[in-house]
Amino acid sequence: MSSITNLAPVVCVVGFHHARGPEIETWLGVEDGRDPAVENDWNFLSFMALSDGAHTTTEDFSYFTLRQQETPQLPATSLFGISCTRQLDARELLNRPKDVTRSTVQKSLVVIAGSPHSFGHLREKLSVVTRAWFDQKDFTDVEILKVGKWLAASAVGEADIEQEFQASLAASLQDADEDKDQYLGISLREFIHEFKHQTLVLFKCCLLQPKMLFFGSRCERLCMMQFALISLIPGLIRKLEDCADPEMDTYERSVTKPTSLKTSERSSLLAYMGLPLQIFGKGSLFGPYTPLQQLDILADYGTKSYIVGSTNSLLLQQKDRYSDILINLDESTIAVTSSSLRAALTLSAADRRWIDFLTQTIYQTWDDDFPSRPRSHGYLGSEEFIRLQFEEYLLALLAATKYHKYLFATPYHLRELSAFPDIEGDPSVDFNESWIDAWKKSGNFRLWDKLTDDHLFDIVEPRHPTAGGLSIDDINRRLTQQIQDLHLDDRLATSREALNKHLATGQKKVSSAFNSLWADIETLREAQRARQQDARAARQPPSTPSVNPLSPLNASLASPSTPGSDAGLLPSPSRFARFQSPESTPSTPGARFDTTGLRARAPDISHAQAAVGAAGLKAGAYISSWGTWAREQRKGWGRSRENLSGRAEEGERPERILGGEAESEGAGQAEKEKETATRQRPKVASPRKTKRGSRESVGGDGIGRLDV
């Protein structure tokens, strides 16, 4: 079996079957009868090509790693895949197969190459050919994937060149090899603009080789973030032959210690300093996109560290199990789940000063329209500027670590420190001693320490780029950066808008409530005014009752009382209470009383006083009329008194005569007689003869009268 690494990239088509799920449909660029997936045990290739959530976007890209099995000629190595996924409405297909039962058809075009540094070129070509293939609306025709028209804008402008797809991919790889400074991943300016000082935290974290888990809903951005991070280690992007499987350690077995140095050549200097730091060696894994089917590899005992990405939110629920640090790209947050790792990742004052300077430079040269390049189009703040800053930081870190080791291994009197008179103490303190101690336990430190000279500090000065203790400028810079991170202007603008909106709404509510309260007060005033008018009307005396003019007694009631009337002889008011009852009738024939005006009113507390006053007036008029009549009958009253006295001697109760001439047994007996006179209905006494032979009759008012 020939090696794919030394040949042109191979292409395959992955489709989603409604019953079987993702599956490989065809291979392009391989010998007939060969199936690289079977030969290399790529059981999860289809799941890597069709990422979770790819159906939610029009076009998405996935990046992944594959292990190529060992051959008699070559050892096992890592391959890198890139896929472009698109979908099409099933109703638009010209030749719709019978097994297409879903409303959409989802397919992915995959390219597998031996190195990821060429993916920047491959991505554009892959996007063009995938779009053209989908525009045919006939997936049975794959000729365009073999021979098609490719828009080689990067080479010849807008000219169309008809060439084979395989040849086009091979040409892209050759162009990438000629350009040594091409890097894969998202723009570092965007990376720092999003994560700010946390960029240095992530950079130092990957050197400690923990379990780093990236999460994001967009697969391409998820993968590009990881490639951008590892590209900060100079030369690592071309030394990833062991990253696809934790069991591989080809690099460690083949690398040799450099014995010469050309300070005029950058590549020679980096190699002599032990770069790149191999963070993907024995027990490590790199999977830009890792499907759930590979969780068993992550949980395996032999997997000690990894940098992987996932678009499935199920991993967020098990982050403590599958990660030491979780980077959530959707929320731009970093969660360190390991306490020991959290202490090691604390930035020192010098670290914070260095990354704050870099972050401030990015912000000062930021352009929203073109975030990948500085606004001034100059070197300051450019991609090259950022990479050289990290390279300088890393070289200083390596030299300071060697110097730290030298200080502890060499007695004081044997130290040769004349070359660094300005360095006091241990310069590695500026890089955080906790981090230095944790890095010494990692696999890449062990390999680096074995492959490098112990006096690297003689080549590069062992000093932090921004060495020094915490100063006032650091505090001011820190406060300024923290205030900028708060985005007070944006928040205040939003809060101000919300406050104005709430004030306007509150003003309307207060105005409405005040108007409603004022209306209620006016209604209450009207109700009180009406009640007061009713009360005044009730306190006014009633009108004079109507009197029957035909009644003799009514005529006498209308006449005023004459002077000389004896008030002491008038009957008591209790005697006339009977005239207030509608059933009362006069006792004397011809003396018919109209008692309409004398009827009692219905019990009403508010009208009680008025009713009592009216009854008093009526009783006064009635007594006055009876006084006039009594004077006319004075002559016959003498004999009546004698008859009443005789009756009293025989045991009969005397009647009260005009003011109390008859004696009673006591005040209590008199009160009882009043109540009895009020309750009982007056009766007409039948005439009877007295001892003297005279006839006596008792009137309805209880006054005895004599008929001679």
Side-chain angles (χ1 to χ4, degrees):
M1 182 180 64
S2 61
S3 174
I4 300 179
T5 307
N6 298 328
L7 299 178
V10 296
V11 181
C12 70
V13 176
V14 176
F16 186 87
H17 192 272
H18 70 281
R20 297 184 295 270
E23 60 182 4
I24 301 175
E25 297 180 350
T26 183
W27 283 95
L28 302 173
V30 297
E31 299 175 2
D32 294 339
R34 287 188 53 198
D35 189 347
V38 176
E39 296 173 356
N40 296 278
D41 195 19
W42 294 341
N43 298 326
F44 304 136
L45 172 59
S46 58
F47 295 96
M48 297 175 180
L50 285 175
S51 62
D52 296 332
H55 61 280
T56 60
T57 58
T58 303
E59 182 182 64
D60 199 6
F61 292 85
S62 174
Y63 300 79
F64 49 90
T65 59
L66 297 169
R67 174 191 171 105
Q68 185 184 22
Q69 297 295 342
E70 183 179 3
T71 65
Q73 295 81 15
L74 295 172
T77 187
S78 299
L79 300 180
F80 301 87
I82 175 175
S83 68
C84 178
T85 304
R86 298 182 67 92
Q87 55 186 346
L88 180 69
D89 193 333
R91 295 173 297 182
E92 299 181 8
L93 290 175
L94 300 180
N95 297 319
R96 181 170 180 173
K98 295 181 179 179
D99 58 351
V100 176
T101 59
R102 298 169 62 92
S103 59
T104 59
V105 179
Q106 188 179 16
K107 293 185 181 295
S108 178
L109 188 61
V110 184
V111 176
I112 300 175
S115 178
H117 72 277
S118 60
F119 279 0
H121 297 275
L122 293 182
R123 181 194 180 281
E124 300 301 325
K125 296 181 179 297
L126 185 61
S127 176
V128 172
V129 69
T130 305
R131 187 185 308 111
W133 186 40
F134 269 74
D135 289 342
Q136 292 182 159
K137 300 180 181 181
D138 185 6
F139 295 122
T140 60
D141 183 6
V142 294
E143 289 299 322
I144 194 174
L145 303 181
K146 300 177 181 179
V147 179
K149 289 185 178 181
W150 296 94
L151 184 63
S154 59
V156 292
E158 299 296 331
D160 290 341
I161 299 179
E162 185 171 330
Q163 58 182 0
E164 293 184 359
F165 188 24
Q166 301 292 314
S168 175
L169 297 178
S172 299
L173 293 178
Q174 184 177 0
D175 294 340
D177 288 335
E178 294 176 356
D179 191 355
K180 301 297 182 181
D181 293 331
Q182 286 293 326
Y183 299 97
L184 179 63
I186 194 173
S187 168
L188 292 179
R189 288 175 51 84
E190 298 178 43
F191 196 102
I192 298 177
H193 188 270
E194 180 174 352
F195 288 101
K196 303 176 182 63
H197 71 277
Q198 299 285 2
T199 304
L200 183 56
V201 174
L202 295 177
F203 174 73
K204 298 180 72 173
C205 180
C206 69
L207 295 180
L208 298 181
Q209 293 182 260
K211 295 181 178 180
M212 300 183 66
L213 173 61
F214 284 78
F215 171 79
S217 57
R218 294 177 53 193
C219 186
E220 182 179 18
R221 183 171 181 267
L222 174 73
C223 300
M224 289 293 99
M225 280 290 183
Q226 299 172 66
F227 276 112
L229 179 62
I230 65 174
S231 69
L232 292 176
I233 302 177
L236 181 60
I237 200 71
R238 295 177 178 271
K239 299 294 183 179
L240 296 175
E241 56 264 31
D242 296 332
C243 69
D245 196 312
E247 299 297 328
M248 294 191 298
D249 59 347
T250 305
Y251 178 82
E252 183 175 356
R253 288 182 292 164
S254 60
V255 68
T256 59
K257 183 177 180 178
T259 58
S260 61
L261 170 63
K262 294 182 180 180
T263 55
S264 59
E265 294 182 6
R266 175 173 172 267
S267 59
S268 178
L269 175 63
L270 295 179
Y272 190 82
M273 294 295 295
L275 296 177
L277 297 176
Q278 188 53 258
I279 61 176
F280 300 113
K282 184 73 172 180
S284 299
L285 175 68
F286 177 50
Y289 174 70
T290 303
L292 294 180
Q293 287 73 14
Q294 286 187 300
L295 290 182
D296 293 340
I297 300 178
L298 302 183
D300 188 76
Y301 178 78
T303 306
K304 304 299 181 181
S305 67
Y306 49 73
I307 297 178
V308 296
S310 176
T311 59
N312 198 311
S313 60
L314 292 177
L315 287 180
L316 296 179
Q317 304 173 7
Q318 304 182 39
K319 61 181 180 180
D320 295 336
R321 178 183 180 185
Y322 292 105
S323 68
D324 295 325
I325 179 172
L326 172 65
I327 301 93
N328 192 328
L329 300 181
D330 290 345
E331 300 178 359
S332 298
T333 58
I334 298 176
V336 182
T337 58
S338 173
S339 58
S340 59
L341 182 62
R342 187 180 301 109
L345 293 180
T346 302
L347 297 180
S348 64
D351 283 343
R352 191 60 187 263
R353 187 185 304 119
W354 181 82
I355 191 61
D356 287 345
F357 163 75
L358 193 58
T359 303
Q360 186 177 6
T361 303
I362 300 302
Y363 270 84
Q364 290 176 351
T365 60
W366 185 255
D367 189 351
D368 292 330
D369 297 331
F370 301 97
S372 61
R373 68 185 185 188
R375 181 171 50 193
S376 60
H377 300 277
Y379 172 75
L380 188 65
S382 63
E383 294 284 314
E384 189 65 22
F385 170 80
I386 297 173
R387 295 189 184 278
L388 289 180
Q389 291 297 318
F390 273 93
E391 181 178 308
E392 179 187 5
Y393 178 90
L394 185 56
L395 293 177
L397 171 62
L398 299 178
T401 304
K402 285 291 186 178
Y403 192 81
H404 168 79
K405 181 180 177 181
Y406 174 77
L407 292 177
F408 278 87
T410 307
Y412 183 79
H413 64 281
L414 298 177
R415 298 175 184 174
E416 299 177 0
L417 304 178
S418 59
F420 309 103
D422 298 334
I423 297 178
E424 297 180 0
D426 187 359
S428 65
V429 175
D430 291 332
F431 295 94
N432 187 0
E433 290 181 292
S434 299
W435 186 89
I436 296 293
D437 295 338
W439 184 44
K440 290 180 179 179
K441 302 176 184 178
S442 65
N444 71 90
F445 174 85
R446 177 185 52 79
L447 181 60
W448 168 80
D449 189 46
K450 184 179 68 173
L451 297 176
T452 55
D453 190 87
D454 291 337
H455 288 73
L456 290 181
F457 50 84
D458 292 333
I459 307 300
V460 177
E461 183 180 7
R463 182 193 297 272
H464 196 287
T466 55
L470 189 64
S471 62
I472 298 299
D473 294 337
D474 296 332
I475 297 176
N476 293 335
R477 188 185 305 107
R478 188 80 54 83
L479 291 176
T480 302
Q481 185 63 39
Q482 290 178 353
I483 292 175
Q484 292 178 356
D485 294 343
L486 292 176
H487 302 287
L488 294 179
D489 295 338
D490 298 338
R491 295 184 180 182
L492 289 177
T494 305
S495 301
R496 191 182 301 110
E497 182 180 357
L499 180 60
N500 293 335
K501 182 179 180 180
H502 288 308
L503 286 177
T505 305
Q507 183 178 5
K508 293 181 180 179
K509 293 182 178 180
V510 170
S511 178
S512 177
F514 181 78
N515 294 335
S516 178
L517 178 61
W518 186 257
D520 294 341
I521 292 175
E522 292 296 330
T523 303
L524 182 60
R525 287 180 177 178
E526 292 294 335
Q528 291 179 349
R529 191 179 297 110
R531 286 195 297 269
Q532 291 176 358
Q533 292 179 356
D534 294 343
R536 285 196 298 268
R539 285 194 297 269
Q540 292 179 358
S543 59
T544 305
S546 59
V547 181
N548 187 1
L550 300 179
S551 174
L553 181 58
N554 291 341
S556 64
L557 289 174
S559 62
S561 59
T562 57
S565 60
D566 191 0
L569 298 178
L570 293 177
S572 62
S574 61
R575 290 182 175 270
F576 305 101
R578 69 190 65 182
F579 295 104
Q580 297 178 1
S581 175
E583 290 93 358
S584 60
T585 55
S587 59
T588 306
R592 301 179 59 87
F593 297 94
D594 186 5
T595 60
T596 304
L598 301 178
R599 295 179 181 177
R601 292 179 176 269
D604 190 353
I605 297 177
S606 63
H607 299 162
Q609 296 180 353
V612 171
L617 294 176
K618 295 177 183 178
Y622 186 78
I623 293 172
S624 178
S625 64
W626 269 100
T628 304
W629 179 83
R631 285 193 299 272
E632 295 178 356
Q633 301 295 333
R634 183 182 295 273
K635 295 180 180 181
W637 284 353
R639 289 177 293 179
S640 175
R641 291 174 182 172
E642 295 178 356
N643 293 336
L644 291 174
S645 299
R647 293 173 58 187
E649 294 176 357
E650 295 177 0
E652 295 180 3
R653 185 178 63 181
E655 297 286 338
R656 180 184 298 273
I657 304 174
L658 296 177
E661 292 291 338
E663 296 180 356
S664 60
E665 295 180 354
Q669 185 67 23
E671 188 67 22
K672 292 180 180 180
E673 290 178 357
K674 292 179 181 180
E675 294 177 0
T676 305
T678 304
R679 293 193 191 99
Q680 294 179 354
R681 184 183 182 89
K683 298 181 181 180
V684 179
S686 58
R688 60 180 179 177
K689 293 183 179 181
T690 61
K691 293 181 180 181
R692 297 183 179 180
S694 301
R695 293 182 302 146
E696 181 181 357
S697 62
V698 180
D701 55 353
I703 301 178
R705 295 186 306 190
L706 298 176
D707 294 333
V708 182

